[in-house]
Amino acid sequence: QVQLVESGGGLVQAGDSLRLSCAASGRSISGYTMGWFRQAPGKEREFVASITWIGASTGYADSVKGRFTISKDNAKNTLYLQMNNLKPEDTAVYYCARCKYGATISRYTNDYDSWGQGTQVTVSS
């Protein structure tokens, strides 16, 4: 089983930037689509971004498109989420996850079979 550990969250002001990291151990993420999800208090977990292993195609939620960038470093077995121009609405616990396949992106939690424990991002106005 792959182990995923998120880091890089914190408390920032609106308009600031953060870069989240997701380090994988135990198993490689090679060959798998990877994704970022977030969950705010009292709300359902929602899709943020995804990147495929094959072709490195990316997909984003409309709410973060143009502000967030998902990427990965295959040599370091690490996934990243660069978050720019953060808004208070971005406040949530952010989770990285490994998908069941690698040729297409997915926006659905049920398509992901491994999850990290999450990292808190808080954006003040």
Side-chain angles (χ1 to χ4, degrees):
Q1 278 276 62
V2 64
Q3 298 179 56
L4 304 174
V5 180
E6 303 94 335
S7 62
L11 173 62
V12 298
Q13 299 288 325
D16 286 350
S17 298
L18 281 174
R19 187 177 72 165
L20 305 183
S21 299
C22 174
S25 62
R27 297 284 299 277
S28 174
I29 61 172
S30 297
Y32 296 94
T33 291
M34 299 293 295
W36 286 97
F37 292 78
R38 66 187 183 186
Q39 187 166 21
K43 297 184 178 180
E44 298 293 322
R45 188 169 299 186
E46 66 174 355
F47 169 79
V48 176
S50 181
I51 183 169
T52 65
W53 175 263
I54 301 174
S57 298
T58 58
Y60 298 91
D62 289 341
S63 59
V64 307
K65 193 174 299 181
R67 299 188 297 120
F68 290 11
T69 303
I70 187 172
S71 63
K72 56 184 173 68
D73 187 325
N74 296 335
K76 296 182 178 180
N77 210 28
T78 301
L79 180 73
Y80 301 99
L81 183 68
Q82 178 66 45
M83 304 185 294
N84 297 328
N85 192 25
L86 283 161
K87 304 176 180 180
E89 306 94 277
D90 296 319
T91 296
V93 176
Y94 284 71
Y95 301 88
C96 69
R98 186 187 71 180
C99 191
K100 299 176 182 178
Y101 35 80
T104 185
I105 62 172
S106 174
R107 299 172 179 265
Y108 305 104
T109 59
N110 288 344
D111 287 338
Y112 293 79
D113 57 12
S114 297
W115 294 82
Q117 71 271 52
T119 185
Q120 176 71 49
V121 173
T122 303
V123 185
S124 62
S125 60

